[in-house]
Amino acid sequence: MQLRVTFVAAARSSSLLTERFEDDRPLDQAGWDQVLAVAPELLPLAAAELRYCSPTPRSRATGDALGYAPLVQLALRDCDMGRWRGLTLGEAMAREPESVDAWLADPRSTPHGGESLLEFVARVGEWLDTRPMEDRGRVVAVVEPAVVRAALVYVLKAPPSTFWNIDVRPLSAITVTGRAGRWNLRFEGASEQHTRA
């Protein structure tokens, strides 16, 4: 039996420079424009048997705008950043530079009083492993970029530091296939004629 799970990164609610930890802001105008521009490409994912989203306003709005009518999953929430919630990385660094350095260096650390990177990756992985299983079943989940990164670290069984090297753009999609504990990353897209050198 094999399941197919596609993660779609939520549209933006701010510029990359003003991204905040556990950002609860709604989509900005640029985010809405992005959704409208890519909707024809992502609309077919609405045919998935199960459609989910992170609990953030921008994830829910993105899923609704794409016609998914997703169910909110608390397990797909962003990493709990404790007292850094709502801050940019620069703001957290200005307030607690040593704590931020420790957090970036050690995936077990929780200097902010929230969730460690290891706990976050494990939570997202557990959600993935407990999806209802139907052979060739399809799932789509509109989530925060950090959730996509955590899922990829889990699926690839990569070192936790890999999390910091994964760049997830708004409205990008990545598919994993498999079953609990045995997942594969699947790339899709260009037809063969576009991939010839």
Side-chain angles (χ1 to χ4, degrees):
M1 283 213 194
Q2 196 171 60
L3 190 64
R4 174 187 173 112
V5 181
T6 301
F7 292 97
V8 176
R12 62 187 251 174
S13 58
S14 63
S15 74
L16 291 176
L17 293 177
T18 59
E19 283 286 321
R20 298 185 174 278
F21 294 126
E22 291 187 87
D23 197 346
D24 277 342
R25 291 178 291 175
L27 293 181
D28 62 12
Q29 188 57 53
W32 282 110
D33 293 344
Q34 286 176 338
V35 172
L36 293 175
V38 302
E41 242 179 275
L42 296 175
L43 191 57
L45 293 172
E49 290 85 358
L50 297 170
R51 298 172 305 279
Y52 302 115
C53 69
S54 294
T56 58
R58 72 179 182 174
S59 293
R60 291 192 309 263
T62 300
D64 286 340
L66 292 171
Y68 299 169
L71 297 171
V72 171
Q73 297 281 283
L74 290 179
L76 293 178
R77 68 191 180 281
D78 211 340
C79 187
D80 177 358
M81 297 304 291
R83 69 178 172 275
W84 294 348
R85 181 180 183 173
L87 299 180
T88 65
L89 178 60
E91 289 168 344
M93 184 65 94
R95 292 178 188 188
E96 303 178 47
E98 291 173 6
S99 295
V100 172
D101 287 343
W103 173 67
L104 292 171
D106 182 358
R108 296 174 304 253
S109 71
T110 59
H112 44 59
E115 189 175 30
S116 74
L117 179 59
L118 285 180
E119 290 167 334
F120 177 46
V121 170
R123 170 170 48 86
V124 173
E126 182 179 353
W127 177 87
L128 187 59
D129 282 347
T130 56
R131 290 311 83 216
M133 203 58 180
E134 285 185 30
D135 196 24
R136 302 187 185 279
R138 294 171 299 161
V139 175
V140 64
V142 180
V143 296
E144 295 301 306
V147 174
V148 177
R149 292 159 64 194
L152 290 175
V153 169
Y154 182 79
V155 163
L156 297 173
K157 297 176 174 64
S161 61
T162 306
F163 180 88
W164 307 116
N165 301 109
I166 300 172
D167 186 17
V168 179
R169 297 291 179 186
L171 295 165
S172 57
I174 192 74
T175 299
V176 298
T177 60
R179 62 183 185 276
R182 295 196 61 173
W183 295 99
N184 298 303
L185 182 58
R186 180 177 178 142
F187 290 94
E188 300 169 326
S191 66
E192 222 174 286
Q193 70 183 39
H194 291 117
T195 58
R196 289 183 190 153

